Amino acid sequence: MGDNQLDSCEKQKKRTITIICFLGSIAGLLFGLDTGVMSGALQFVAVEFSLSAAMQERVMGSLMLGAACGAIFAGWLSYYIGRKYSLLVASVLFIIGSLFCALTPNVEILVSARVLLGIAIGVASYAAPLYLSEIAPEKVRGRMISLYQLLITVGLFTAFVSDTFLSYYGAWRWMLGIVIIPSVFLFLGVLVLPRSPRWLASKGRSNEAKQVLEKIRLTKQEAEIELYDIHESMKVRQTGWMLFQNNPHFRRSVALGVTLQIMQQFTGINVVLYYAPKIIGMAGFSSVAEQMWGAVGVSIVNVLATFIAIGVVDRWGRRPTLLLGFSVMACSLCLLGLMLSLNIGTVWACYFSVVMLLVFIAGFAMSAGPLIWVLCSEIQPLKGRDFGITISTATNWLANMVLATTFLSLLETFGSANTFWIYAVLNISFIILTWRFVPETKGISLERIEANLMEGRKLRDIGQ
Ligand code: BGC
């Protein structure tokens, strides 16, 4: 082959892998879209079906309940039918769920359809990062988790923008139905994706795994080396549940993963995201348009600040970034609570409250947003990685559900200022928890972290 031919072949393969990764990431976009759309639609849905606060919480929380179940079920599904077909199942559920949400004649069907959508998100949020990490070349594997998080934030942003435009017409059915478009893209995209070479090899289909690798790696030699490495790493059998029962050190890393995810959710992030228009209303902006555009602002800051995290995570490290993030969130929530309790009512005071909301979002997106996912994928020993990550992902969704289904009741019981102060206190306690238990894993190999954990070192020191 001449140099020119080699060059164009290399370019062609790079293009193929970029397209494959992009298609896989659409699942992240849907994750963001589906969790976000209800934020703008809820006020219209509440009026249409005369919903009480408790019922509105149920509409919000049903998605998270489904997602927690989906995440648990996904481990089993993606083991048996593979990552590609799991994503296909998820995209069909996305389409059906969105259709039922848009056409629902009553709140019961809406809640059931949201559970279905939740299951789709749970499956996609497990299978997509796994697929991406198995298909992407080693050099860009690390960036994939951050890219995936970035797409979640882009999905949330898209949801808020489309909600805002549609809110002028009160078109909540369109808000919920529009998600069908990217779902169909996901379905069509996944159809043309190759299967994960690692999954194929794990099912004894080494020839097919080799064919896929040859298509997506630059040289035949690269493909062969990777197939060899896959076979080597498969010698470590996944014995999650048994390891959990018998090994106290593994129980510690699972507990750390669970705690990290609880911390991420109990910062109050999704309360702010899902109820953004409502909170902006409480801050003094009474028109629906102001509230909706304010929510768009919140979601833009969420996207932009995620870039900060991508830039600093490997330079500053996990611990300092998390400590800074929790501190920023605690301070901004304290001040937001203060403004709500003073109830000043001037334009200046309204803007200041919204700025505090934006500072809070920035604090989350530059730290706990992507970092908790990064840490959860780093701290589990190889033998129990699938099990550990399944448990922590399901915890993320359960904790998310608890928050989404208690916020309005907290507001009613304690009032708005006290509710935000409760979240501020939680963020302060996370500074302490991070200080005491979270390891610094920057620049340390996963094997070293595992060896330290299994030697019985303190959790905080397993990254040394
Ligand atoms: C969290 C989601 C949240 C999103 C916001 C993710 O890391 O797990 O619950 O909605 O960040 O960007």
Side-chain angles (χ1 to χ4, degrees), residues 31 35 149 152-153 156 261 264-265 269-270 273-274 302 306 364-365 368-370 373 396-397 400:
F31 175 156
T35 49
Q149 168 72 17
I152 297 178
T153 63
L156 281 161
Q261 290 290 9
Q264 189 207 47
Q265 290 300 313
I269 176 63
N270 287 319
L273 281 172
Y274 303 161
N302 192 21
T306 304
F364 175 86
W373 292 106
N396 173 285
W397 288 110
N400 191 336

Side-chain angles (χ1 to χ4, degrees), residues 347-370:
V347 177
W348 177 87
C350 298
Y351 277 109
F352 184 78
S353 301
V354 173
V355 169
M356 284 307 105
L357 209 60
L358 298 180
V359 172
F360 169 83
I361 289 288
F364 175 86
M366 60 152 290
S367 63

Side-chain angles (χ1 to χ4, degrees), residues 40 43-44 162-172 175 288-289 292:
Q43 49 188 320
F44 299 105
S162 92
D163 274 7
T164 302
F165 282 115
L166 292 167
S167 70
Y168 288 102
Y169 312 96
W172 65 267
M175 292 180 191
V288 172
M292 300 297 279

